[in-house]
């Protein structure tokens, strides 16, 4: 008889637990007309809602329990999570209506969010830090817990920061402890899932953006290379013109010196040997075996190679032109 009674009591407890089991519903997060993600909340909550002076409010039930969800705009530099939290706590410390109970890092939530964001290409190399703050707001007669998740995202040649706010607040008259609030908020955070189509679209935009940036970088590099080559060509041309002018100037200078001193510059066309001779003659001959043995004349008939002695073969020289 006792055994039957025990079974009946167990069944009653089981039925009672099932009757009070929480019923949840999934809420789509709409950003600018696009569904980006989904979260799960108890079915007695209304989402989304607007609450006066609470821009982070997302869902609310009849007992004035509120889920908070918000994201900051993109910040074009790296922010310090520790400094941000410290500034926030300092600001609250000056507000007599807010009492901070505790604050601490939330590494498990950080790991979850990093894993969640790993689907997004542009966040694949992000750095994250997450902090939990438990506080009481006497001006609103609320007990609240907030999670601040900071993202520092490296981009090509830049860095971007953003942060997400997850929160849960309840009236002071509610008997829930901070531990219970923390567990309920964690369930809310861990239910946050990205929409698959949005992830695919975001990744496609990232790939296209990277391609466009690569094309612009390549075009800029090519323009710089072309400018460099043009500058070098202009410099080479200027150097060549300078050297050509210098040679002409040297030639003119040498010609002037030669004319002043009545000297003639001559060259052997066969050997390239150069000779310098006093005075000007139209016909100049030299014995290649004896440079001191030369004949100079203005008479074309005075060719020393005609009827010369054995071993005296004269080479006719030409005027050396610089």
């Amino acid at each position: 008889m006792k055994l039957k009674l025990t079974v009946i009591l167990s069944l009653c407890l089981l039925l009672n637990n099932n009757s009070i089991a929480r019923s949840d519903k999934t809420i789509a997060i709409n950003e600018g007309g696009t569904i980006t993600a989904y979260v799960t909340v108890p079915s007695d909550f209304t989402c989304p809602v607007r609450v006066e002076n609470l821009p982070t409010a997302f869902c609310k039930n009849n007992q004035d329990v509120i889920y908070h969800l918000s994201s900051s705009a993109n910040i074009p530099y790296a922010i310090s999570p520790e400094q941000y939290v410290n500034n926030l706590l300092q600001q609250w410390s000056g507000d007599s209506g807010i009492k901070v109970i505790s604050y601490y890092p939330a590494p498990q939530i950080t790991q979850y969010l990093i894993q969640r964001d790993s689907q997004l290409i542009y966040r694949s190399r992000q750095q994250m830090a997450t902090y939990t703050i438990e506080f009481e707001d006497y001006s609103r007669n609320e007990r609240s817990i907030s999670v601040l998740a900071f993202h520092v995202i490296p981009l090509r040649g830049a860095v971007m920061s953003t942060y997400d706010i997850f929160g849960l607040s309840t009236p002071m008259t509610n008997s829930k402890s901070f531990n219970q609030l923390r567990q309920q908020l964690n369930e809310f955070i861990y239910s946050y899932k990205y929409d698959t189509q949005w992830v695919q679209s975001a990744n496609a935009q990232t790939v296209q953006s990277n391609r466009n940036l690569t094309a612009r970088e390549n075009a800029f590099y090519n323009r710089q290379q072309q400018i460099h080559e043009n500058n070098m060509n202009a410099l080479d041309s200027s150097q060549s013109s300078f050297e050509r002018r210098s040679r002409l100037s040297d030639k003119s200078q040498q010609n002037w010196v030669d004319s002043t001193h009545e000297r003639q510059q001559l060259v052997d066309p066969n050997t390239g040997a150069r000779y310098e001779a006093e005075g000007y003659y139209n016909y100049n001959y030299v014995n290649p075996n004896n440079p001191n043995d030369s004949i100079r004349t203005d008479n074309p008939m005075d060719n020393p190679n005609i009827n010369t002695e054995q071993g005296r073969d004269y080479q006719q020289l030409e005027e050396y032109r610089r």
Side-chain angles (χ1 to χ4, degrees):
M1 189 65 175
K2 291 183 178 180
L3 179 60
K4 290 183 179 180
L5 181 61
T6 302
V7 171
I8 292 174
L9 289 175
S10 299
L11 289 173
C12 290
L13 289 173
L14 179 62
L15 291 173
N16 186 53
N17 287 337
N18 288 336
S19 65
I20 63 174
R22 194 180 79 178
S23 175
D24 292 336
K25 62 181 179 181
T26 299
I27 305 298
I29 298 175
N30 192 309
E31 297 183 13
T34 300
I35 295 177
T36 61
Y38 303 91
V39 289
T40 300
V41 297
S43 58
D44 64 326
F45 278 78
T46 300
C47 310
V49 294
R50 291 183 180 274
V51 178
E52 185 177 0
N53 298 325
L54 279 180
T56 61
F58 180 66
C59 299
K60 181 181 178 183
N61 67 4
N62 293 334
Q63 287 75 43
D64 291 330
V65 178
I66 300 175
Y67 281 103
H68 299 264
L69 180 64
S70 180
S71 296
S72 73
N74 294 334
I75 304 170
Y77 54 85
I79 62 176
S80 169
E82 296 85 356
Q83 183 177 353
Y84 185 94
V85 172
N86 289 334
N87 291 342
L88 180 62
L89 295 176
Q90 185 176 4
Q91 177 184 344
W92 284 357
S93 66
D95 189 339
S96 58
I98 296 180
K99 178 182 179 181
V100 176
I101 305 302
S102 64
Y103 66 95
Y104 46 87
Q108 291 182 339
I109 296 178
T110 299
Q111 288 301 115
Y112 169 76
L113 296 178
I114 289 177
Q115 183 179 4
R116 181 201 66 178
D117 288 358
S118 64
Q119 304 171 69
L120 298 171
I121 296 176
Y122 83 98
R123 287 194 176 188
S124 60
R125 296 185 295 119
Q126 72 172 337
Q127 294 180 341
M128 281 199 63
T130 307
Y131 289 87
T132 299
I133 304 176
E134 300 173 356
F135 61 97
E136 294 177 343
D137 187 346
Y138 298 109
S139 65
R140 298 185 60 88
N141 195 31
E142 288 180 341
R143 179 179 294 112
S144 300
I145 181 170
S146 294
V147 170
L148 304 180
F150 298 90
H151 310 258
V152 178
I153 306 168
L155 305 174
R156 293 176 63 172
V159 65
M160 178 183 74
S161 301
T162 184
Y163 59 87
D164 301 320
I165 300 175
F166 304 91
L168 183 63
S169 58
T170 182
M172 291 282 197
T173 55
N174 191 304
S175 60
K176 285 190 175 181
S177 65
F178 277 113
N179 286 338
Q180 292 172 313
L181 292 178
R182 187 186 315 112
Q183 180 179 353
Q184 187 173 343
L185 178 59
N186 287 349
E187 292 175 356
F188 176 69
I189 295 172
Y190 293 144
S191 75
Y192 193 113
K193 301 291 190 301
Y194 286 130
D195 179 78
T196 301
Q197 292 185 351
W198 177 79
V199 169
Q200 294 174 350
S201 176
N203 287 340
Q205 292 179 10
T206 299
V207 170
Q208 186 60 49
S209 177
N210 288 340
R211 288 175 179 171
N212 294 341
L213 181 58
T214 298
R216 290 195 296 268
E217 289 176 346
N218 290 340
F220 176 79
Y221 174 78
N222 291 336
R223 285 196 301 270
Q224 296 303 309
Q225 284 294 103
Q226 187 62 52
I227 292 173
H228 175 72
E229 291 178 5
N230 292 341
N231 290 339
M232 293 304 297
N233 291 337
L235 182 61
D236 291 343
S237 177
S238 176
Q239 181 66 20
S240 298
S241 298
F242 171 76
E243 292 175 354
R244 184 169 59 255
R245 290 192 300 269
S246 296
R247 287 194 299 269
L248 292 175
S249 176
D250 292 343
K251 179 180 179 181
S252 298
Q253 179 70 13
Q254 186 62 48
N255 290 340
W256 180 84
V257 171
D258 290 341
S259 63
T260 301
H261 295 278
E262 295 186 351
R263 290 189 307 217
Q264 190 173 16
Q265 301 294 327
L266 303 168
V267 62
D268 186 336
N270 293 325
T271 64
R274 291 174 54 184
Y275 301 89
E276 184 177 272
E278 300 294 334
Y280 289 86
Y281 293 90
N282 292 324
Y283 302 95
N284 300 275
Y285 302 88
V286 68
N287 183 350
N289 299 316
N290 183 6
N292 294 323
D293 184 8
S294 63
I295 297 175
R296 308 180 69 205
T297 178
D298 289 325
N299 187 351
M301 303 304 295
D302 292 341
N303 188 337
N305 290 319
I306 300 176
N307 298 322
T308 59
E309 298 177 5
Q310 185 70 23
R312 299 186 67 192
D313 182 16
Y314 290 87
Q315 176 64 44
Q316 185 174 2
L317 303 179
E318 298 176 357
E319 182 178 355
Y320 174 71
R321 299 184 182 279
R322 300 177 182 84

